[in-house]
Amino acid sequence: MVAIVSTVAYLGLEARAVEVQVQLIAGLPAFHVVGLADKAVAESRERVRGAVAALGLALPPKRIVVNLSPADLPKEGSHFDLPIALGLLGAMGVVDAETLADYVVVGELGLDGRIASSPGVLLAALHASAEGKGLVCPANQGAEAAWAGTIEVIAAPDLLALLNHFKGHGLLSPPQPGEAEAPGTGPDLKQVKGQETAKRALEIAAAGGHNLLMIGPPGAGKSLMASCLPGILPPLDAAEALEVSMVQSVAGTLAGGRLTRTRPFRSPHHSASMAALVGGGLKVKPGEVSLAHLGVLFLDELPEFQRAALDSLRQPLETGVVSVARANAHVTFPARVQLVAAMNPCRCGHLGDASLACSRAPRCAADYQAKVSGPLLDRIDLHVEVQAVTAADLVLPPPAEGSAEVAARVAAARAIQARRYEGTETRTNAGIDGDLLAAVATPDDPARALLGQAAAAMRLSARGYTRVLRVARTIADLAGSEGVGRLHIAEALSYRRQAPRN
């Protein structure tokens, strides 16, 4: 007899069906797991052995063979423990094997029989829902699985409680979906003294989902303004919150099944590796650019990042997805992020102040800024110079306008874009291209003439030309204008980096 239990293997944000087939064969006692299993899955033999012993049962004196089908699909992670244990108990006749056929099972086992949490339960629940099956998962992840819809979720604290549930001796109550947290509050723009140009650029970036680079001396407020950005962005809607939670689930950071309406804000240290930024590693996991999906990726001290790591962001910023290619798997993660970067003008940071600048100025500035490649800078829509804050600025009273007022204007502009792009895959002005760009962001004649002259004088690339139109469309939305005029183009051009001359 072969007992079969359904589970999943994770490949990016995709849960692929896996059958755990368990057979007891006459012969010398042995326990084999086959089917392209990694080290964690192979070690499940000892965890399953200990968990079964904790029930007061002994393994049969036979040859136990566990096959994970399809055999050519890589199997990684400890969530195979519970389906292997249930398959073994089904083959032993302890639990009805036909009952197990109605469920997808995930969970890690302890030697005492406890069922521990494992990453990816939300993905497994969505897969089970699509297959018309129920889900068996750890008790502390039941709230996460319940977000998948109306499927039956059995969230068990240990193996004994799960067996009693299947036998009808002590039914486990169905879990409720975790709480949807209200949007969080962060720093307020009222804390920023001066910097009106930079705050205007921040508002435009938030309204259209544009990438932003702030260049200025240390202590000018670049990091503070970046941390204010989530507070002026509109909260995640229900579909977006589920997308973000799926990434968090596969990364193992979705605590307590709580979905959040606050957009992610990730700020990796400049020592982060390429795999940390875009994903990868021995077991391919989402990187910072995917953990910031539908939110903000803030890179402080931009030139201090490894050149190769920064250049690896070029493709995700353009396409909204990141593809990690490995010899045994090709994994795709979502990466629709808003990049906000900050950097000093030079290594000492005081290029514009002759009394503080180093002796190598201005050559040190050229060397320092050259650490960031031109193609990456070309993908950043808004470049803004942040001036040093003086003592006179600091003694001024807080500005009358803070994050709440700016957020209201951003929400109004985003609502315009939502109506405009309804029925398309585009969500914000930062994503328009091709025919759609021509349809919604065609400037009038005076604006077209200005853009043509500026494109030649500033030596804009085709990508730069397109991004100027996108920013101008956002500026027009903030102004409530139907068309794109000369003033909108002029302001968009003021935020564009000019190509260096040879």
Side-chain angles (χ1 to χ4, degrees):
M1 173 185 174
V2 178
I4 298 177
V5 178
S6 297
T7 185
V8 294
Y10 303 116
L11 196 63
L13 291 192
E14 181 185 0
R16 296 195 179 182
V18 172
E19 275 192 358
V20 178
Q21 306 165 355
V22 183
Q23 186 176 35
L24 304 180
I25 306 172
L28 293 176
F31 196 151
H32 299 289
V33 178
V34 298
L36 207 57
D38 75 341
K39 185 68 172 176
V41 182
E43 290 174 346
S44 66
R45 294 173 300 181
E46 302 309 318
R47 292 191 292 271
V48 169
R49 194 191 304 272
V52 171
L55 296 175
L57 302 175
L59 294 184
K62 295 184 178 182
R63 189 164 176 258
I64 303 170
V65 179
V66 178
N67 178 44
L68 306 178
S69 175
D72 60 345
L73 179 67
K75 320 298 189 309
E76 299 178 347
S78 58
H79 66 279
F80 289 96
D81 291 1
L82 186 56
I84 290 175
L86 287 180
L88 177 57
L89 293 172
M92 294 167 58
V94 177
V95 64
D96 184 12
E98 292 185 2
T99 301
L100 299 176
D102 297 329
Y103 297 93
V104 173
V105 183
V106 292
E108 177 184 333
L109 281 176
L111 296 179
D112 56 357
R114 287 179 298 175
I115 303 176
S117 58
S118 60
V121 166
L122 179 57
L123 274 69
L126 293 171
H127 170 81
S129 178
E131 295 292 321
K133 296 183 177 182
L135 179 76
V136 177
C137 67
N140 57 359
Q141 291 182 296
E144 176 183 339
W147 282 108
T150 57
I151 67 169
E152 180 187 0
V153 177
I154 301 176
D158 53 57
L159 191 56
L160 179 60
L162 181 58
L163 293 180
N164 287 335
H165 176 87
F166 282 134
K167 292 178 178 295
H169 298 326
L171 296 179
L172 297 169
S173 57
Q176 297 300 314
E179 296 180 359
E181 297 178 351
T185 57
D188 195 287
L189 282 173
K190 286 187 177 181
Q191 299 174 237
V192 181
K193 301 293 184 68
Q195 309 296 8
E196 297 305 321
T197 301
K199 286 193 284 187
R200 170 64 176 172
L202 195 71
E203 179 179 342
I204 296 170
H210 302 289
N211 301 326
L212 169 67
L213 172 63
M214 293 179 284
I215 306 174
K222 302 185 295 296
S223 299
L224 175 59
M225 285 186 284
S227 62
C228 291
L229 183 56
I232 63 176
L233 288 170
L236 296 166
D237 60 30
E240 290 175 331
L242 188 60
E243 278 188 60
V244 171
S245 298
M246 288 171 65
V247 179
Q248 294 175 341
S249 177
V250 77
T253 59
L254 187 61
R258 293 190 298 271
L259 272 66
T260 179
R261 300 291 303 279
T262 303
R263 294 187 179 271
F265 182 84
R266 305 289 299 189
S267 180
H269 190 262
H270 59 253
S271 62
S273 65
M274 184 189 301
L277 282 180
V278 300
L282 183 61
K283 298 179 180 180
V284 181
K285 293 291 185 181
E288 292 291 335
V289 71
S290 296
L291 293 172
H293 178 57
L294 297 178
V296 178
L297 176 64
F298 177 49
L299 301 183
D300 201 2
E301 308 294 347
L302 185 67
E304 301 296 342
F305 282 82
Q306 301 174 31
R307 177 74 173 262
L310 286 181
D311 285 343
S312 68
L313 296 175
R314 285 155 54 178
Q315 180 258 349
L317 291 177
E318 200 73 21
T319 62
V321 296
V322 56
S323 298
V324 181
R326 294 293 181 267
N328 60 348
H330 286 67
V331 180
T332 299
F333 294 109
R336 190 177 291 110
V337 300
Q338 186 171 353
L339 175 66
V340 177
M343 60 182 287
N344 296 328
C346 59
R347 183 171 293 279
C348 72
H350 300 287
L351 180 66
D353 191 337
S355 62
L356 295 174
C358 66
S359 59
R360 296 187 64 244
R363 180 59 185 271
C364 68
D367 294 343
Y368 189 67
Q369 296 183 23
K371 292 182 176 182
V372 185
S373 69
L376 178 62
L377 292 175
D378 201 37
R379 286 167 168 81
I380 299 179
D381 305 338
L382 302 166
H383 298 248
V384 61
E385 298 283 345
V386 180
Q387 303 301 321
V389 180
T390 65
D393 293 325
L394 295 175
V395 298
L396 292 174
E401 187 175 82
S403 292
E405 292 78 12
V406 175
R409 293 196 295 269
V410 168
R414 287 285 185 112
I416 293 172
Q417 295 166 54
R419 292 192 297 270
R420 180 188 297 137
Y421 306 129
E422 187 176 2
T424 70
E425 295 183 359
T426 302
R427 306 189 187 195
T428 62
N429 289 332
I432 55 178
D433 208 349
D435 294 338
L436 184 58
L437 177 67
V440 304
T442 299
D444 58 26
D445 291 340
R448 186 182 296 108
L450 173 62
L451 180 57
Q453 296 169 4
M458 299 173 67
R459 303 168 68 190
L460 295 180
S461 66
R463 180 186 291 113
Y465 184 94
T466 298
R467 290 181 180 270
V468 168
L469 283 176
R470 293 173 179 172
V471 173
R473 178 66 267 176
T474 300
I475 295 171
D477 288 342
L478 284 169
S481 174
E482 288 290 336
V484 177
R486 183 181 175 90
L487 287 177
H488 309 137
I489 291 291
E491 184 176 0
L493 287 168
S494 70
Y495 298 118
R496 193 68 203 166
R497 172 180 177 267
Q498 186 169 350
R501 296 188 178 274
N502 296 326

